[in-house]
């Protein structure tokens, strides 16, 4: 799970967004606030909530964390029993208030508001077509495209959605709200998570199931790839916008993004990480005295490594809980100093020890290098780095900010060379087969393998965005 430490260090992947929706529950906006708080790790740059009392749609949004943007006054300004919310990390479209969601569309055919997690890979092509025929975009976010497509179609609102969705390629989990209905949609490849739950007489929808617990909702199921769930006061119905579906959940949701208490497609994140750690220990044993994990997302995999290897699991780092957001865009020098400020190795634990250091992934390698230095400064005599996923070698086109090959250290170095660069005594990664053994085969592994689950034509269009 992405932490503020990762944000500060700038050497972890970022994802754009988490979405949350409430239908037919009192104080829907307040529940959405709590839900977004539980999804904060999915986006820390902007947050918004739209709600409706059946007469009008009201929206509040701003740049920053959920607790920074919202207060009692703002929440009181959001009436009704239906609400949707969004936390944003900006990749496509850049960071500005206009791009903070939910997007609100005022239309003579009826107002609606959209929250989107993912990345539409044929956005450039669609935007050019729409602009050429008169559409005016108010944001630079690809999420606005679905709004324009819906506006142009004819028929009832749900029919217009069903006609628009087949034109989109890529990764998307949408929650769309009108004054009296919610439409909850997942792309045909199932790349981004989206689940539903029951609360009293209403329904809750969330990018991650862990947010349900916080508001006392009972998990029902994941939204299926290609599914559109429509909730009105009279009914809840499910339709497929296409029958051509596959289940290719982003593997990085398990490896890094999601909270350990979330269940994705029936698999608990902590359990899956622990299993990957066990497989890693089987594949890549080490002669060592203790196993430690890089906080927070690698702790489960480190436990798994310790389970299988029999080497004792230890807490080797203490993390500062008070990380100021003034350092959001640090210089490299500040980052280096910041590692020490934000993360301390425990000399009493590591001194004189041969350490297995488990991390979930390596992007640029700079954090690994600094963390290993921290361990050695604290007295560790050897550090054997074990990574609970394969080397990252390809960009992501589905909403994760791996935008180019040149930012991936594993493109430049093989594991032996990388071990020298980060000054580890040894370095190994989980194999591709090990990852499938840990997570099952219904996953996208494109950033590890270069094999993408959508057509290359759309992806090439996206490269030129
Ligand atoms: S390419 Fe990687 S980060 Fe992107 S969706 Fe696939 S597994 Fe996730």
């Amino acid at each position: 799970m992405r932490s503020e430490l990762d944000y500060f260090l700038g050497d972890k992947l970022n994802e754009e967004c988490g979405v949350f929706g409430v239908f037919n529950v009192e104080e829907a906006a307040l529940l959405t606030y709590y839900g977004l708080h539980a999804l904060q790790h999915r986006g820390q740059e902007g947050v918004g909530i739209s709600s409706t009392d059946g007469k009008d749609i009201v929206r509040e949004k701003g740049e920053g964390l959920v607790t920074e943007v919202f207060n009692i006054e703002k929440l009181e300004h959001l009436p009704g029993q239906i609400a949707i919310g969004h936390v944003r990390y900006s990749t496509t479209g850049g960071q500005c208030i206009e791009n903070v969601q939910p997007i609100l569309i005022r239309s003579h055919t009826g107002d609606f508001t959209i929250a989107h997690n993912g990345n539409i890979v044929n956005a450039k092509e669609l935007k050019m077509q729409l602009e050429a025929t008169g559409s005016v975009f108010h944001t630079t976010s690809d999420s606005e495209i679905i709004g324009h497509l819906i506006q142009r179609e004819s028929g009832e609102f749900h029919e217009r959605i069903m006609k628009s969705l087949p034109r989109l390629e890529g990764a998307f989990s949408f929650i769309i709200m009108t004054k009296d209905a919610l439409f909850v949609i997942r792309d045909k490849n199932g790349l981004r998570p989206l689940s539903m739950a029951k609360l009293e007489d209403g329904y809750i929808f969330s990018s991650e199931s862990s947010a349900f617990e916080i508001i006392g909702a009972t998990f029902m199921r994941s939204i299926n790839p290609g599914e559109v769930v429509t909730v009105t006061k009279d009914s809840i119905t499910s339709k497929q916008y296409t029958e051509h579906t596959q289940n290719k959940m982003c593997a990085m949701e398990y490896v890094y993004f999601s909270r350990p208490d979330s269940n994705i497609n029936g698999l608990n994140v902590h359990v899956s990480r622990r299993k990957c750690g066990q497989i890693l220990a089987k594949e890549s044993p080490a002669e060592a005295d203790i196993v430690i994990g890089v906080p927070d997302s690698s702790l489960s995999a480190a436990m798994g490594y310790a389970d299988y290897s029999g080497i004792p699991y230890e807490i080797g780092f203490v993390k500062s809980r008070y990380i100021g957001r003034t350092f959001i865009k640090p210089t490299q020098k500040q980052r280096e100093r910041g590692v020490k400020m934000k993360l301390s190795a425990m000399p009493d634990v590591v001194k004189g020890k041969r350490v297995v250091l488990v991390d979930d992934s390596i992007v640029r390698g700079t954090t690994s290098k600094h963390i290993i230095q921290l361990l050695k400064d604290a007295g560790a005599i050897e550090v054997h780095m074990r990574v609970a996923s394969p080397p990252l070698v390809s960009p992501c086109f589905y909403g994760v900010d791996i935008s180019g090959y040149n930012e991936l250290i594993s493109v430049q170095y093989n594991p032996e060379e990388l071990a020298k660069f980060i000054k580890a005594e040894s370095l190994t990664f989980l194999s591709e087969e090990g990852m499938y053994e840990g997570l099952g085969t219904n996953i996208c592994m494109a950033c590890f393998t270069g094999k993408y689950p959508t057509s290359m034509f759309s992806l090439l269009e996206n490269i030129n965005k």
Side-chain angles (χ1 to χ4, degrees):
M1 177 182 145
R2 179 170 178 263
S3 69
E4 287 193 31
L5 173 71
D6 299 333
Y7 202 100
F8 179 88
L9 298 174
D11 189 24
K12 283 289 182 183
L13 302 178
N14 293 298
E15 184 176 7
E16 27 176 0
C17 321
V19 295
F20 196 83
V22 175
F23 189 90
N24 197 32
V25 186
E26 293 291 337
E27 297 188 306
L30 183 62
L31 285 181
T32 304
Y33 169 87
Y34 291 133
L36 294 177
H37 200 269
L39 298 177
Q40 186 75 85
H41 57 286
R42 300 181 71 88
Q44 302 181 340
E45 292 182 356
V47 56
I49 298 174
S50 297
S51 78
T52 183
D53 54 5
K55 297 184 198 115
D56 192 16
I57 295 176
V58 181
R59 178 187 61 176
E60 290 282 355
K61 64 175 188 169
E63 291 177 278
L65 302 174
V66 177
T67 49
E68 290 169 346
V69 171
F70 283 97
N71 52 30
I72 294 291
E73 289 75 40
K74 278 197 176 156
L75 288 169
E76 281 175 355
H77 186 231
L78 291 162
Q81 299 184 2
I82 313 174
I84 66 171
H86 187 271
V87 285
R88 176 174 172 81
Y89 171 77
S90 59
T91 52
T92 304
Q95 187 184 355
C96 60
I97 186 67
E98 288 76 25
N99 287 342
V100 176
Q101 298 188 26
I103 289 167
L104 176 57
I105 294 179
R106 302 280 187 201
S107 165
H108 68 281
T109 54
D111 299 348
F112 60 103
T113 181
I114 304 166
H116 169 215
N117 171 210
N119 195 38
I120 296 167
V121 299
N122 60 338
K124 183 183 174 190
E125 177 195 336
L126 287 173
K127 202 169 172 184
M128 274 168 56
Q129 287 170 7
L130 287 162
E131 282 180 333
T133 48
S135 290
V136 177
F137 280 77
H138 300 285
T139 73
T140 52
S141 159
D142 63 344
S143 311
E144 197 183 339
I145 289 170
I146 182 72
H148 285 280
L149 291 174
I150 291 168
Q151 276 184 297
R152 282 168 172 242
E153 294 294 349
S154 56
E156 297 292 319
F157 193 77
H158 70 274
E159 293 169 332
R160 289 154 58 196
I161 290 179
M162 295 302 272
K163 287 179 194 168
S164 302
L165 289 170
R167 296 188 63 187
L168 303 179
E169 282 292 334
F172 51 85
S173 287
F174 285 119
I175 306 183
I176 302 175
M177 184 184 92
T178 62
K179 286 176 197 165
D180 52 12
L182 276 192
F183 302 86
V184 184
I185 300 151
R186 200 159 157 230
D187 69 75
K188 63 184 178 184
N189 300 303
L191 280 155
R192 295 277 150 244
L194 191 58
S195 299
M196 63 187 286
K198 191 92 181 81
L199 180 64
E200 299 158 9
D201 294 329
Y203 295 93
I204 311 290
F205 301 88
S206 173
S207 291
E208 286 187 41
S209 63
S210 51
F212 298 144
E213 283 291 313
I214 283 155
I215 58 166
T218 307
F219 175 82
M220 294 171 71
R221 66 175 177 87
S222 295
I223 308 300
N224 294 319
E227 185 178 10
V228 181
V229 173
T230 303
V231 200
T232 66
K233 70 176 179 10
D234 302 318
S235 67
I236 176 163
T237 56
S238 163
K239 280 189 180 162
Q240 289 292 128
Y241 75 84
T242 174
E243 296 300 333
H244 301 287
T245 61
Q246 54 179 346
N247 213 335
K248 290 291 174 190
M249 171 59 62
C250 168
M252 288 304 289
E253 292 282 353
Y254 294 104
V255 170
Y256 175 60
F257 293 130
S258 295
R259 284 171 52 133
D261 52 344
S262 285
N263 290 304
I264 304 174
N265 290 353
L267 186 59
N268 173 262
V269 172
H270 162 72
V271 170
S272 67
R273 286 178 187 163
R274 193 164 185 155
K275 190 170 175 195
C276 286
Q278 291 164 353
I279 298 162
L280 180 64
K282 186 166 75 176
E283 290 182 348
S284 301
E287 293 280 325
D289 304 306
I290 55 172
V291 178
I292 63 176
V294 179
D296 292 314
S297 50
S298 310
L299 301 182
S300 305
M303 285 175 204
Y305 194 99
D307 293 340
Y308 187 87
S309 65
I311 302 169
Y313 172 77
E314 271 288 0
I315 294 171
F317 293 106
V318 174
K319 210 175 85 178
S320 169
R321 291 180 184 279
Y322 307 102
I323 298 175
R325 284 176 53 79
T326 43
F327 292 113
I328 268 180
K329 290 200 172 112
T331 62
Q332 189 55 34
K333 200 166 179 73
Q334 281 173 325
R335 275 186 185 138
E336 286 167 21
R337 205 179 297 129
V339 175
K340 282 192 178 163
M341 225 168 80
K342 312 299 173 189
L343 198 65
S344 313
M346 295 176 63
D348 290 337
V349 174
V350 304
K351 193 169 181 183
K353 300 278 172 46
R354 296 168 301 166
V355 175
V356 171
L357 175 64
V358 179
D359 205 350
D360 51 75
S361 55
I362 296 183
V363 184
R364 297 174 189 86
T366 45
T367 305
S368 309
K369 192 173 179 178
H370 293 308
I371 287 176
I372 288 169
Q373 191 58 50
L374 285 182
L375 288 173
K376 293 200 170 169
D377 289 348
I381 52 174
E382 289 178 15
V383 178
H384 300 274
M385 184 115 188
R386 296 291 179 267
V387 183
S389 62
L392 284 163
V393 292
S394 291
C396 175
F397 299 101
Y398 309 124
V400 175
D401 69 343
I402 318 172
S403 51
Y405 292 96
N406 53 0
E407 64 182 275
L408 299 171
I409 193 87
S410 290
V411 172
Q412 300 165 41
Y413 295 146
N414 66 33
E416 292 75 35
E417 292 164 338
L418 184 49
K420 281 191 192 132
F421 174 73
I422 62 176
K423 296 194 167 62
E425 270 59 42
S426 69
L427 165 67
T428 49
F429 291 84
L430 185 65
S431 68
E432 211 180 300
E433 299 71 35
M435 190 91 152
Y436 285 124
E437 189 184 337
L439 304 180
T441 51
N442 288 330
I443 49 172
C444 171
M445 288 270 284
C447 50
F448 305 111
T449 62
K451 294 174 197 149
Y452 293 91
T454 59
S455 85
M456 275 318 283
F457 178 75
S458 299
L459 301 184
L460 291 172
E461 284 283 305
N462 197 257
I463 287 170
N464 299 323
K465 257 207 293 203

